[in-house]
Every structure is written in C-alpha cells, then in structure tokens.
Amino acid sequence: VPDWVRDRQVDTSQYALSKQSKFGAAHRATTNLQRFVESAIGCIQPRSLVESGLATSLAKWLEAFSKATLRSLRHVALVAACSLAGSIGKQVTALTNNQEVAYRQLESNRKGR
C-alpha cells in the first residue's frame, strides 16, 4: 500500500468502483466509460478500425492497464476491454446479417432471370 494511502488512513477494504460502494460517482464513471467505448467503436467502420491500427493501439493500452498495480486501473482495463469486445461483436453480427441479406437478394435475382 502506498504511503499516502496509509497517511490518509484510507479504508482499502472499500472498492470505489463496485456497485455496492458508497462512491456512487465512481460507479457512474465506470458505466459512462463502458457507454463511451461502445459508442465510439460502434461509430467506426470495421475496416477503418483495423486499417488505422486503432484496434492494435487499444489492445496495447488495455494490456498495459491490466498489468497495473492499482486495482482501479485494472478494473478500468477490464471494463474497457469488455466494452470493446462487445462493440466489435455487435459489428460482426450486423455485418454477418447484412451479408446474409445480400446473398439472399443475389440468389433471388438469379432465380428471377
């Protein structure tokens, strides 16, 4: 435990980012981070996400945070990684659905000739 934590007599048994915590603002910040990541990734075209190197940069950033000694930073990395994975999963699902519709339309056009 850092000296400043001991000097201020911080109760380390209370985890500020948990739902049960008395620190409601910290939980709201976590929820807002999750929403931000989902919205940001959802707005980016999948091709751009890969070609720009953003996905690689985010992965490196999240890996560094996940190795932090502070529990709250590891938690931020976990929330961001889960949000990132969820957003990418939603994009994959939407692309798969669009591809299936396009294939059905193509087959329908071929049969109609």
Side-chain angles (χ1 to χ4, degrees):
V1 177
D3 291 335
W4 66 269
V5 172
R6 270 181 274 183
D7 293 343
R8 291 189 180 128
Q9 298 176 347
V10 174
D11 181 10
T12 56
S13 65
Q14 282 290 323
Y15 182 46
L17 297 178
S18 71
K19 288 182 180 180
Q20 294 78 22
S21 170
K22 62 183 177 182
F23 305 105
H27 178 65
R28 282 190 301 278
T30 303
T31 302
N32 290 337
L33 172 65
Q34 182 178 6
R35 288 179 184 159
F36 171 76
V37 171
E38 288 174 356
S39 296
I41 297 302
C43 293
I44 299 172
Q45 293 294 324
R47 183 176 181 172
S48 299
L49 184 64
V50 174
E51 288 177 352
S52 69
L54 180 61
T56 304
S57 297
L58 284 173
K60 288 179 183 177
W61 179 79
L62 292 173
E63 182 182 1
F65 264 61
S66 69
K67 295 177 181 176
T69 56
L70 293 174
R71 182 178 180 189
S72 57
L73 291 180
R74 291 192 310 268
H75 185 233
V76 166
L78 176 66
V79 169
C82 290
S83 298
L84 180 63
S87 297
I88 291 173
K90 287 177 185 176
Q91 283 190 345
V92 168
T93 300
L95 288 172
T96 302
N97 290 340
N98 289 343
Q99 182 183 24
E100 290 172 2
V101 168
Y103 281 140
R104 279 187 256 141
Q105 288 175 343
L106 180 63
E107 287 300 315
S108 175
N109 285 341
R110 286 183 182 166
K111 290 179 182 178
R113 289 186 181 179

